[in-house]
């Protein structure tokens, strides 16, 4: 038996669309209940950091105030979409205080019905809708959570197919036809995908009483139905009060049916229609009118339960399977899907949900079981993958895993969960997973999953932007060039601190060290005094003048690099001449500069504030009286902040030739055991790149120095800069000559102030967003306009690709 | 006989200050009467372009409205100061319409006394002062013009000398002492410098009647006194009504004497004291109080007549001589200078002025003549120069020339002028010179003398800034980094168009061609459509799509450089593959872009205006039916706008291998004679650097294209940019697809719009200054505060060094 439309499939192959058919856009929407440390529904409000619920396109509250909803934009691959869901998962997890994201579709420990808080959306229409729902359904029921997958075929593929087939249908009608075909086939076979994504086999005794009473007790507080796959999709789950027939014969009929249900008062709004697949139009429009006018833009698949084995609630494998399944549904024979077909499909679904795949119902006229039919479909999908010939190995592996789960229900998600619950408990299993996922988010709090190729500063800024619900686009990945948009206003940002706020000339002033020094000096700020020489003879004449002073002799254009000599003690005229000869090898102009004493501190100035002050210390370990130097290094390197290749805020300490030589200079070797509390340095230079430590001094440095840093920034007109200051002694206030500005850097690294070796995260990224005009309070007034019509869905999925 | 203080001189040598003694700061102030084409005093007002007279520090009106005064800042060399006077001379000459700068100290053809316009300074006190002068002196007298030289020894030299000598005097007192010594010696020997700088031997019959009556007639309208050297410095010139004794014994006595003369009503203000040397304090202060408080900052030497042989009114040789003379005066024996000494000095001066150096008066007790004494001084100066050993050859040459002029008065300035006047006439000689100098200014109107190492755009901007009286500083010459200051507000500018007006991100957007294209396209502006490829296989798959289209295949990061292939006609799959292979050799990412047809135009957008539109044409000549190609090239290259090495707006056309090859391709050679009106191209590329022509199309291009250019600039937020647009046909209005933006350039060259091969000067530099807030109307309100006290000199010389 085969369900594939062989003619159509052959056309795809003939037109060489075997690669293009895999192109598509993917989006995810996921709900999670917030729980406390004991797995009880959190009764706290939705975190304020996410801004106005209705305005943040990524992080909202769903039905309940305690139900976080995370929505990804559309991406052109499963992987990118999955990664972005992880980004959202990380952001939300890191902002929850002593709370966790409940990783199951089935609710956690629920309080009494009346205690469950309905989300306050700050919008009359949206609140009213929720209150109507609460009146119509049990609130406990509304706490069931799931994952929705948005999918569209790539426009290029659809266009090429339209051209190739040469139909006289318009492109819109042609596209509608394809999506309707998929929707019909999906509706017919939704029992199969529900089997694979069902992950709510067990539930807690605090769930709906009528449900608990009908169920069997698994252990103590945990209840189940034998072979139950998905409580959420079952008759005890999230379903409409009434069964509605949803026609997929044409977009017009689909729309007319929905309108009729709403007008008859059977549905509060089209949002209340809990169908497993929805036709969706362009985001932002009145949904139904938009569908009629512009046709189907994408499909929303609402089958999947939360998968507690995956941090992101759905696995990449499931997404790939779903993708292949949708392609298969497109290629499947097209048959009408009437009310009777739906009734049959509903029976299959109910059976899978409560009795599992092995429920002994003959499927279809040929008398095969559901399991047999499922296996046949998997095998036909395997053949399809082989014929299309793209990523064959990867896809076959995914299909093989699903085949196994079909053969052995204990390998299905539901089966595995039930087993885990039996071994611990419903609450413990899910709560442990929740805590584990939060820990994982914390361990990589500096990282933006899927964007690890960007600079850390940009990753941090983007993470903060997403948290605030700012839409973004990566305009140039290699250049870390992004745009940020909120409420219709766009700001462009390169490398986190190159923005519209600094003027071009300000940056050029900072770039030119001579100009910077002149301007600072003119503003009464201490800089190393200096003089320029074009020839060595003039310099030699001034020897007597410099003889007793600590000085630096350096080529004008190379900065603290080659050709630099520093004299801090007495020096001869010969030494002086040699230093000039060296410097003149690198530049026509040589600078002599006063050598400033003290320690160097980096002041991060943003706007008129010092956000952070950092001092760098060379790579070192502190003895415990027991461990060798190499053991201490290994221990210190375990810090997740330390990595290699600048992908982490700090670098691992190396123990190579340079370090061994430096130890040798101190009469030490790697196997020595330093005394308890003794600091052993492994490097002379304090660069972070060679394992140095960054120590936050923001709270220790007197305000007088911070004021100088701010004045320095203002002298060159900088909004963002890093001021490098030498300070003699930070326990004393800044005076006339106990400090000096070495340089002012534009594009200062912000990540070093977020994740110092010692000290607090100073969150400069938040200040950047505030200054760029993306403050939390923006747009509160605009909220009034956010009324939603009953024909308009609240959640919109933007099919714009971000890459 | 020797006048040198041998001990003091020996000290200078012992302390090795022989180089430092030459260091100093120099400033010039010069007046010129404006005349019409016939050499008559211009009765027009002071040109408005120079702004408010009292506010422009460089270009003012002196006593008469028709008398332009030009003032240089202080520079650290004679050459720089001289060059800056040329800058001012050029600026003023280029702004005069059918008028010229009269190059003689003696007035041109004057109207009746009452017709001479007194300058309206827009300031009550300043106007009142001028009216008092007009009442007290004849206005014709006030039309005498001259050059003042400001001089100070370098502070380093004075400090080192102070340290070396180890006196217990304060540095201020020590410095005063040195300057007073120079002033005393100068006063004693002012007859000598007057002999060398006297350049007003002949005058016109329209000068003061009493003077004409006493004088002899040289020819027709021209009068003189036999052997007269300087009418201006003579008793018929610019002198106080009364002889005042000016003590140079101490600063306190100098100040007290001046105050007393003003208080007694003998002087309207200290400005009225027409002494040949003045002690000056820090600029901007109440002069007399400042002198007492801070001591002498510099000396003002007021001896020199305008030298008509030099465009700038004083020659570099005269300035060098004066410099050496001042050093000599410092080294000269110091003797008291009482009233009797002054009386004697006055006699010597009068004699030189009216009777010349050969006046037979015994000089001093030893009975030498003035001429003999002068020769002795020159010889002693020569010995001094040899002993100090700096620039000996140059200085000895200057001294030798002066020695000759002393021996033979016909070689003196006055002698040479008298001879010229005898051969033509007073008016003709000076008027021809005036016209010649204006022509010279016009020939290099794009150039800022003394700043030729700067980019042309920066030179043009600075010239406009100086014209408006904006003070400037060159912060970094190589980088063309300047600051502009007016009314206490400073703007920094790099390369003429990098300013505070553009944001950093705007520039970064323009720098990144991919980002620019994305943003333009999003704003509905046509850009070449394109696609990026990471591997050649994907590109090959799209061959069918591109097959019939004109395309460009190029590496992503190299712009119109290597690795680029353009297909405008049909091409095979192999050609297409080869083009990709080539491009992938240079970058990991290869772009395919729509090839835009039409001609390329550069739109210079500043603010919300298109200042200029330019099209470039390859190097070419147009035949006259007689000349060979090489003759036509030579002729075209005579244009002063054409030069070599980017120092002029256009480059000379070369006739090298490349050009000969290109001619050969057309079946031509360099000796061919093109027909009349026939255009012969010598190059394929249209770069200005290879002799291309720039043709201004600003008035021809329809507004619809200009609007697109402005919208493009606005899309990236640019205030200054050059928009490169392809246009199919400029006789048609811009439509949807008859144009395309190639790129937007930050830091657009402005000079090409000032000096195109064909077309008007679009003066973008003026718009830049307007946008930077340096408009002419700025500060008119502030004028009220510009009251000048009678003890405060109006003209101040800022000793700040600009280099």
């Amino acid at each position: 038996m085969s369900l594939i439309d062989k003619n159509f499939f052959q056309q795809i192959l003939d037109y060489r669309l075997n690669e293009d058919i895999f192109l598509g856009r993917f989006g995810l929407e996921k709900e999670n209940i917030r729980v406390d440390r004991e797995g009880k529904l959190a009764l706290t409000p939705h975190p304020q950091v996410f801004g106005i619920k209705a305005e943040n396109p990524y992080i909202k509250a769903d039905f309940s105030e305690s139900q976080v909803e995370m929505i990804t934009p559309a991406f052109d691959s499963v992987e990118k979409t999955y990664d972005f869901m992880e980004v959202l998962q990380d952001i939300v997890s890191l902002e929850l205080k002593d709370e966790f994201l409940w990783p199951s579709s089935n609710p956690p420990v629920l309080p009494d019905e009346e205690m469950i808080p309905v989300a306050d959306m700050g919008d009359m229409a949206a609140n009213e809708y929720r209150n109507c729902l609460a009146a119509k359904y049990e609130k406990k029921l509304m706490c069931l959570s799931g994952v929705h997958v948005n999918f569209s075929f790539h426009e290029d593929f659809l266009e090429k197919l339209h051209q190739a087939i040469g139909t006289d249908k318009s492109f819109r009608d042609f596209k509608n036809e394809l999506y309707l075909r998929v929707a019909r086939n999906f509706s017919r076979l939704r029992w199969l995908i529900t089997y694979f994504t069902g992950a709510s086999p067990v539930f807690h005794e605090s769930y709906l009483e009528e449900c608990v009473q009908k169920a069997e007790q698994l252990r103590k507080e945990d209840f189940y139905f034998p072979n139950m796959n998905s409580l959420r999709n079952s008759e005890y789950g999230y379903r409409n009060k009434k069964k509605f027939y949803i026609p997929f014969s044409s977009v017009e009929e689909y729309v007319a049916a929905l309108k009729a249900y709403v007008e008859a008062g059977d549905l509060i709004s089209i949002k209340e229609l809990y169908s497993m697949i929805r036709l969706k139009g362009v985001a932002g429009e009145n949904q139904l009118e938009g569908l009629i006018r512009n046709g189907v833009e994408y499909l929303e698949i609402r089958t999947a339960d939360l998968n507690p084995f995956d941090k992101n609630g759905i696995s990449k494998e499931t997404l790939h399977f779903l993708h292949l399944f949708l392609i298969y549904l497109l290629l499947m024979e097209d048959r009408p899907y009437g009310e009777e077909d739906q009734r049959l499909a509903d029976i299959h679904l109910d059976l899978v949900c409560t009795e599992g795949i092995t429920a002994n119902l003959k499927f279809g006229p040929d008398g095969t079981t559901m399991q047999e039919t499922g296996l046949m479909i998997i095998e036909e999908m395997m053949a399809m993958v082989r014929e299309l010939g793209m990523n064959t190995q990867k896809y076959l592996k995914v299909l093989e895993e699903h085949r196994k789960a079909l053969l052995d229900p204990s390998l299905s998600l539901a089966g595995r969960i039930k087993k885990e619950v039996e071994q611990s408990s419903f609450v413990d299993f899910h709560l442990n997973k929740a805590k584990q996922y939060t820990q994982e988010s914390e361990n990589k709090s500096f990282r933006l999953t899927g964007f690890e190729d960007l600079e850390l500063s940009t990753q941090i800024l983007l993470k903060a932007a997403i948290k605030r619900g700012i839409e973004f686009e990566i305009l140039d990945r290699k250049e870390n060039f992004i745009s940020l948009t909120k409420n219709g206003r766009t700001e462009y940002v390169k490398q986190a601190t190159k923005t519209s706020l600094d003027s071009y000339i300000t940056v050029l002033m900072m770039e030119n060290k001579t100009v910077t020094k002149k301007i600072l000096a003119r503003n009464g700020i201490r800089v190393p005094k200096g003089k320029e020489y074009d020839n060595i003879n003039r310099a030699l004449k001034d020897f007597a003048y410099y003889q007793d002073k600590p000085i630096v002799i350096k080529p004008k254009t190379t900065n603290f690099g080659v050709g630099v000599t520093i004299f801090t003690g007495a020096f001869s005229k010969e030494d002086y001449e040699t230093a000039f000869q060296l410097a003149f090898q690198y530049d026509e102009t040589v600078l002599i500069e006063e050598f400033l004493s003290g320690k160097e501190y980096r002041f991060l100035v943003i706007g008129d504030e010092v956000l952070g002050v950092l001092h760098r210390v060379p790579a070192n370990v502190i003895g415990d009286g027991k461990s060798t130097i190499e053991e201490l290094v290994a221990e210190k390197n375990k810090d997740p902040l330390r990595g290699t290749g600048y992908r982490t805020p700090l670098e691992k300490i190396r123990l190579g030739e340079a370090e061994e030589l430096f130890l040798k200079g101190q009469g030490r070797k790697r196997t020595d055991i330093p005394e308890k509390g003794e600091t052993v340095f492994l490097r002379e230079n304090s660069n972070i790149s060679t394992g140095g430590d960054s120590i936050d001094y923001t709270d220790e440095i007197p305000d007088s120095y911070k004021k100088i840093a701010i004045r320095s920034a203002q002298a060159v007109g900088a909004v963002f800069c890093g001021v490098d200051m030498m300070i003699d002694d930070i326990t004393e206030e800044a005076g006339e000559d106990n400090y000096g500005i070495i340089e002012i850097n534009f594009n200062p690294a912000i990540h070093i102030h977020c994740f110092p070796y010692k000290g607090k995260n100073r969150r400069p990224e938040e200040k950047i967003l505030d200054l760029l005009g993306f403050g939390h309070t923006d747009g509160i007034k605009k909220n009034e306009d956010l009324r939603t019509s009953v024909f308009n869905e609240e959640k919109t999925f933007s099919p714009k690709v971000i890459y």
Side-chain angles (χ1 to χ4, degrees), chain A residues 295-565:
Chain A
V296 181
E297 276 298 310
Y298 64 98
L299 300 172
E300 182 184 0
I301 316 292
R302 301 158 54 88
T303 334
D305 286 345
L306 285 174
N307 174 354
F309 295 108
D310 198 289
K311 183 178 161 197
N312 300 335
I314 189 164
S315 69
K316 264 187 234 178
E317 289 68 31
T318 299
L319 286 168
H320 282 305
F321 180 80
L322 192 58
H323 183 203
L324 294 174
F325 192 58
L326 289 163
I327 294 172
Y328 177 76
L329 296 177
L330 176 70
L331 296 173
M332 217 173 112
E333 265 174 23
D334 191 14
R335 280 185 291 156
Y337 179 75
E339 283 204 60
E340 181 54 26
D341 298 296
Q342 180 178 315
R343 203 190 55 77
L344 200 63
D346 285 347
I347 291 170
H348 291 140
L349 178 72
D350 283 348
L351 264 170
V352 162
C353 286
T354 45
E355 297 185 30
I357 197 74
T358 53
N360 198 17
L361 182 91
K362 296 297 173 196
F363 187 82
D366 54 354
T368 51
T369 63
M370 287 203 289
Q371 197 175 29
E372 284 163 348
T373 305
L375 285 170
M376 183 278 295
I377 289 171
I378 297 285
E379 269 151 32
E380 204 168 14
M381 283 172 75
M382 285 174 161
M384 170 191 86
V385 162
R386 281 192 205 93
E387 284 213 66
L388 292 171
M390 302 301 302
N391 294 312
T392 314
Q393 288 316 308
K394 181 173 82 175
Y395 288 144
L396 285 181
K397 195 169 164 243
V398 166
L399 291 171
E400 179 56 27
E401 290 302 313
H402 282 74
R403 206 176 66 91
K404 282 183 188 158
L406 205 52
L407 284 169
D408 177 359
S410 77
L411 297 177
S412 72
L413 273 183
R416 288 164 60 205
I417 291 165
K418 198 173 143 205
K419 198 172 166 196
E420 293 280 355
V421 171
E422 280 167 348
Q423 285 169 6
S424 64
S425 80
F426 174 75
V427 169
D428 286 349
F429 165 63
H430 289 105
L431 193 58
N432 285 340
K433 281 287 176 196
K435 289 178 179 174
Q436 172 198 327
Y437 297 146
T438 294
Q439 185 58 51
E440 286 175 16
S441 295
E442 279 169 6
N443 284 351
K444 60 187 198 49
S445 56
F446 49 86
R447 191 175 287 154
L448 192 73
T449 304
F451 299 88
E452 291 93 341
D453 55 324
L454 298 178
E455 292 176 355
L456 281 182
S457 287
T458 296
Q459 291 185 49
I460 290 166
L461 182 68
L462 274 178
K463 207 160 177 173
I466 295 165
K467 189 169 73 188
R468 293 191 186 198
I470 299 164
E471 293 186 89
F472 68 98
E473 190 171 348
I474 314 273
L475 295 169
D476 192 317
R477 276 195 102 92
K478 282 184 192 161
E479 288 212 339
N480 290 273
F481 212 130
I482 63 172
S483 69
L484 299 175
T485 302
K486 198 176 178 184
N487 298 329
R489 204 174 58 77
T490 298
E491 286 283 339
Y492 298 88
V493 180
K494 186 175 166 181
Q495 297 178 295
T497 63
K498 298 177 175 175
T499 72
S500 66
L501 298 174
D502 274 310
S503 86
Y504 188 27
I505 200 70
T506 282
V507 171
L508 296 172
M509 279 154 80
M510 289 190 265
E511 205 174 51
N512 185 314
K513 302 304 167 200
T514 312
V515 170
T516 305
K517 271 175 61 181
K518 280 184 189 174
I519 292 166
L520 289 181
R522 211 174 282 172
N523 281 273
I525 293 160
R526 188 164 178 244
V527 288
K529 282 197 204 93
K531 203 171 165 181
E532 293 184 8
Y533 292 96
D534 290 332
N535 70 75
I536 201 159
N537 292 328
R538 274 210 94 74
L540 289 176
K541 283 210 172 158
D542 285 344
F543 171 68
Y545 180 79
Y546 290 111
Q547 199 168 3
D548 306 323
K549 295 160 187 155
I551 52 166
V552 183
I553 293 168
K554 59 179 177 184
K556 186 182 176 186
T557 44
T558 62
N559 223 342
F560 282 99
V562 282
V564 180
T565 308

Side-chain angles (χ1 to χ4, degrees), chain A residues 172 235 306 356 455 485 654 796:
Chain A
R172 188 201 61 177
E235 56 186 309
L306 285 174
E455 292 176 355
T485 302
R654 280 167 280 173
T796 49

Side-chain angles (χ1 to χ4, degrees), chain A residues 81-331:
Chain A
T81 315
Y82 177 85
D83 284 347
F84 200 82
M85 183 49 80
E86 179 151 342
V87 163
L88 298 177
Q89 172 81 16
D90 287 341
I91 288 173
V92 174
S93 299
L94 288 172
E95 289 300 331
L96 297 182
K97 308 273 170 268
D98 262 335
E99 290 181 3
F100 305 90
L101 292 173
W102 186 249
S104 169
S105 278
N106 286 346
V109 182
L110 291 177
D112 287 346
E113 182 75 12
E114 64 275 12
M115 295 287 288
I116 297 174
V118 175
D120 175 6
M121 297 302 287
D123 170 276
M124 272 175 55
N127 283 352
E128 170 126 355
Y129 170 65
R130 277 172 177 67
N131 289 330
C132 288
L133 283 184
K136 194 166 174 181
Y137 303 86
E138 289 87 354
K139 287 197 272 183
K140 285 186 175 178
L141 194 74
M142 304 304 282
C143 287
L144 290 164
S145 301
V147 182
H148 301 177
V149 180
N150 295 306
F151 174 77
S152 60
F153 290 104
H154 199 289
E155 208 74 348
D156 281 1
F157 162 66
L158 296 172
E159 269 176 26
K160 284 179 186 170
L161 189 60
H162 183 235
Q163 261 188 356
I165 286 183
T167 163
D168 51 7
K169 281 195 187 102
S170 73
F171 179 59
R172 188 201 61 177
D173 290 349
F174 176 76
K175 201 164 69 167
N176 280 350
E177 201 44 59
L178 294 185
Y179 280 120
L180 285 164
R181 175 181 182 142
V182 172
R184 286 189 289 268
N185 287 335
F186 182 89
S187 298
R188 216 186 302 276
L189 295 186
R190 70 196 130 107
W191 59 270
L192 182 59
I193 197 77
T194 303
Y195 173 72
F196 288 126
T197 59
S200 47
V202 187
F203 55 95
H204 189 257
E205 61 174 4
S206 59
Y207 189 56
L208 294 177
E209 208 183 319
E210 62 186 270
C211 185
V212 174
Q213 279 174 356
K214 286 185 190 160
E216 293 179 28
Q217 192 170 20
L218 184 68
R219 56 182 301 287
K220 292 182 183 163
E221 305 161 334
D222 306 338
F223 289 79
Y224 79 120
F225 294 90
N227 298 317
M228 183 169 80
N229 204 288
S230 174
L231 177 76
R232 171 173 159 275
N233 284 305
S234 75
E235 56 186 309
Y236 306 109
Y238 208 59
R239 283 199 183 168
N240 289 106
K241 290 278 169 194
K242 222 169 149 176
K243 277 205 195 293
F244 296 104
Y245 169 61
I246 306 161
F248 289 110
S249 42
S250 72
V251 169
E252 289 69 21
E253 285 180 59
Y254 175 84
V255 167
L258 264 58
K259 273 192 174 169
Y261 295 137
V262 172
E263 276 156 15
D266 291 330
L267 291 176
I268 306 166
S269 141
I270 57 162
K271 281 179 288 184
E272 195 199 333
L273 183 74
Y274 304 132
S275 61
M276 280 202 161
I277 190 163
R278 282 179 181 171
L279 307 180
K280 302 293 286 256
V282 175
E285 288 193 69
N286 173 313
Q287 269 296 318
L288 297 187
E289 282 173 24
L291 265 178
I292 295 285
R293 193 168 47 249
N294 300 315
V296 181
E297 276 298 310
Y298 64 98
L299 300 172
E300 182 184 0
I301 316 292
R302 301 158 54 88
T303 334
D305 286 345
L306 285 174
N307 174 354
F309 295 108
D310 198 289
K311 183 178 161 197
N312 300 335
I314 189 164
S315 69
K316 264 187 234 178
E317 289 68 31
T318 299
L319 286 168
H320 282 305
F321 180 80
L322 192 58
H323 183 203
L324 294 174
F325 192 58
L326 289 163
I327 294 172
Y328 177 76
L329 296 177
L330 176 70
L331 296 173

